[in-house]
Each structure stands twice: as C-alpha cells, then as structure tokens.
Amino acid sequence: MAVETVFLNGEFVKRSDAKVDIEDRGYQFGDGIYEVIRVYSGEVFTMDEHMERLYQSADKMKLKIPFDLQELSSIVCKLIEKNDVEEGIVYMQVSRGISPRQHHFPGGDISGSVIAYTKDFKRPSKQMNEGVTATLVEDIRWLRCDIKSLNLLGNILAKEEAASKGHFEAIQHRGETVTEGSSSNVFIVKDGSIYTHPATNLILNGITRRVIKDIAAKSGVPFVEKTFTVDELLAAEEMFIASTTSEVMPVIKVDEVNIGQGVPGPVTVKLQEMFTGRILTECKVQQV
Ligand code: PDD
C-alpha cells in the first residue's frame, strides 16, 4: 500500500501529519458521531444509508456537519481510491469542533471537525461459516442508543467482558429484555420467524439490520420487530448478530447454552447467502 492518506477537516493528508487538537470536543467529551462503512471489491456498500444515518445522528444532537451529503460521499470515494482499498472499511467521524472546555455548546461559528480513514478488512468467512459464541451482559448504556455517538463506554465495557471470556460478542439486556450486541444487532429465529428488537431509542437501527429486513421480506421469512427475553433467546431455534463488519454472523452458544443444534441454522445460512448476493449486485465481490 502507498503512504496512507486520511481526511482531516477539508484536506487529504498523510496519516503521520494528521494531528488533532487537545480541545476537540470529540476528544474531550465524546461529543460527536461516527459511521463505519464497508468496502467490497473497491466499492462502497450501502453508502446512502450510512450517510443518511450520519446526518440523522447529527440532527438528533444538534451538530452541524460542515459538508453536505454529496460532498461527504465523494470524500469517502476519494479516500478509497487514494488508499487503493479493495476489501475494507471507511471510518468517518464528526465532532462538535474545537473550543475551550465547557460542557454547553460552544456557540458562534465553530465548525465541526470531520475525519475519515480507511482500513483493510477481510470478510470474516471462517467465523461466518462456523458461528461464534457470546456472553450475556446487563445493558448499562444511556437511553439514546439510536444516536451513533462517539460515547461508547458502555459498549466497550460490554465487549471487554465478552473478549476477556473468549467470546466474540456481548449480548446486552435491560432486565429480561434483549436489546442489542455491544457493536451489533441481535436476532433470533423462533417458529420459523426472525425476531429483533424494534428500532427504538434503545438500539442502533443498523444498516445491516435494514438489509436483512429487506431480504427476509423478499424470501418470505416473517421479520418481526418485537422485543424478546433472555429466556426466549436461550431457547431459540437459531440466533445471529449483524453489523457492517460481521455481516450475518451465526451465534451458536451463549455462555454455557447451545443455541438450537449448536451450529449455524438454516434460516441464518439462507440469509447469509442472500446477503452475499446483495453485496455481489452492489459491489461485484468474490463469493466466500
Ligand atoms: N457497529 N448496534 C451497535 C451498538 C453498533 O455499534 C453497530 C455497528 C450495530 C450495527 O450497525 P450497522 O449494521 O449499521 O453496522 C448495531 C459498528 C460497525 C462499529 O461501531 O464498529
């Protein structure tokens, strides 16, 4: 790879030249938002959906993005080209800008800071074929999980608990109700239907979740946006999680309990195939 280029406040610069001010509110408060966007075969997958969600997150926290949607999309494409990304991700972050530390908004004409970089990342084929394990953790996060905010401490503590026990993901629950993973949405299959938490303030409305909803409708599998309990999850026929980097990822065991037969189930495998089909039509990717 050539010298890595990143985007920093209007300019493409070498990564080693990209410096962030210590009074950037993203750095001091986590006062900002982000998106992780997937690149397959050098092409962006579900760009518009990610960009629209970024602007929705910005609206919800009264943050002004100093570029319009078309400009940001073209920045993403240029970055992919400059870094010659084949299989990877683009990380894009917008903070409320730089100002002397005070909790309330800085006011005036302070412009948001925008950064973006790319990372090579292969499809997690082995894990998608074999399935992964997860652990249950109490959801201790705030009540605006619909905003893709930089404040990820609750998610990080949850993921660390999973990782320290050798699990791929932490499945969060508020009391008896399963919400979502630390960095993914959670789905179960029960009586042949897919169940997932409704897109309320308690979860992030994942872009992958939306693609799954669409392909489920096309394949005639009922997609039910209704909460389910921890007990229902443990008794499910199948379970999977979904995100930009994990795609449709089977979960075969939660703590000590096998889910279904303890192998990726038929509905999950069918969704994986259809998801790959969707990538192929959008990005002309190689089949796993
Ligand atoms: N995480 N829920 C949470 C809490 C997430 O952090 C994510 C994604 C998702 C799935 O969203 P999507 O399908 O749009 O990726 C659900 C990203 C990948 C991350 O933080 O790295």
Side-chain angles (χ1 to χ4, degrees):
M1 207 210 311
V3 177
E4 198 185 334
T5 301
V6 303
F7 181 81
L8 176 71
N9 290 329
E11 282 180 274
F12 291 98
V13 295
K14 272 199 321 210
R15 189 186 173 127
S16 53
D17 291 341
K19 302 278 185 263
V20 178
D21 195 289
I22 57 166
E23 285 191 310
D24 189 293
R25 291 178 66 95
Y27 180 65
Q28 288 202 326
F29 294 117
D31 186 5
I33 51 175
Y34 75 103
E35 280 294 327
V36 178
I37 310 169
R38 199 71 170 83
V39 181
Y40 297 107
S41 295
E43 292 179 46
V44 189
F45 185 63
T46 55
M47 167 91 100
D48 294 348
E49 290 82 347
H50 281 282
M51 285 300 168
E52 278 157 23
R53 187 173 64 185
L54 185 73
Y55 282 87
Q56 282 159 7
S57 289
D59 273 355
K60 289 174 184 174
M61 51 189 275
K62 303 187 179 73
L63 171 65
K64 195 174 163 347
I65 301 178
F67 298 97
D68 68 26
L69 194 146
Q70 278 69 37
E71 286 168 332
L72 275 195
S73 304
S74 109
I75 288 162
V76 166
C77 293
K78 276 194 197 129
L79 205 53
I80 290 166
E81 215 180 290
K82 281 181 189 294
N83 289 331
D84 203 12
V85 184
E86 265 295 297
E87 303 286 295
I89 57 137
V90 178
Y91 176 85
M92 178 167 267
Q93 172 179 314
V94 187
S95 82
R96 207 183 299 276
I98 301 158
S99 77
R101 186 173 186 279
Q102 59 174 26
H103 285 63
H104 57 80
F105 296 174
D109 55 0
I110 289 180
S111 177
S113 308
V114 181
I115 63 126
Y117 60 81
T118 63
K119 229 176 115 176
D120 291 334
F121 184 84
K122 293 243 176 306
R123 297 183 76 188
S125 308
K126 187 172 184 306
Q127 287 158 319
M128 287 198 292
N129 289 335
E130 293 174 2
V132 296
T133 67
T135 190
L136 288 162
V137 305
E138 185 69 40
D139 193 338
I140 60 163
R141 299 172 304 158
W142 71 329
L143 299 174
R144 291 307 305 272
C145 299
D146 54 314
I147 302 175
K148 202 159 169 61
S149 138
L150 296 179
N151 275 287
L152 289 174
L153 193 50
N155 309 60
I156 285 166
L157 291 175
K159 184 75 102 190
E160 175 55 24
E161 189 166 332
S164 67
K165 293 194 243 162
H167 295 294
F168 184 83
E169 181 58 302
I171 307 301
Q172 302 174 103
H173 55 93
R174 284 190 194 264
E176 281 306 300
T177 304
V178 175
T179 51
E180 64 178 337
S182 68
S183 61
S184 62
N185 292 118
V186 177
F187 307 76
I188 59 170
V189 179
K190 193 177 137 190
D191 304 324
S193 297
I194 300 164
Y195 286 78
T196 196
H197 195 289
T200 65
N201 60 310
L202 297 183
I203 68 156
L204 183 75
N205 188 359
I207 305 302
T208 320
R209 178 188 184 280
R210 300 179 208 185
V211 175
I212 292 168
K213 182 177 176 177
D214 190 48
I215 57 186
K218 292 202 166 73
S219 62
V221 182
F223 186 90
V224 188
E225 296 177 80
K226 187 169 176 283
T227 58
F228 52 86
T229 64
V230 169
D231 286 346
E232 285 174 297
L233 176 128
L234 296 175
E237 290 146 28
E238 300 178 33
M239 172 183 172
F240 59 93
I241 54 175
S243 78
T244 296
T245 48
S246 296
E247 302 184 12
V248 178
M249 182 65 77
V251 179
I252 55 174
K253 198 173 180 188
V254 175
D255 292 315
E256 298 314 313
V257 180
N258 277 341
I259 305 298
Q261 307 301 310
V263 292
V267 175
T268 309
V269 171
K270 173 91 190 138
L271 289 174
Q272 286 180 319
E273 285 165 8
M274 293 187 70
F275 195 85
T276 297
R278 184 62 76 93
I279 297 168
L280 277 164
T281 46
E282 243 188 80
C283 306
K284 301 175 219 94
V285 75
Q286 296 296 309
Q287 190 107 21
V288 271

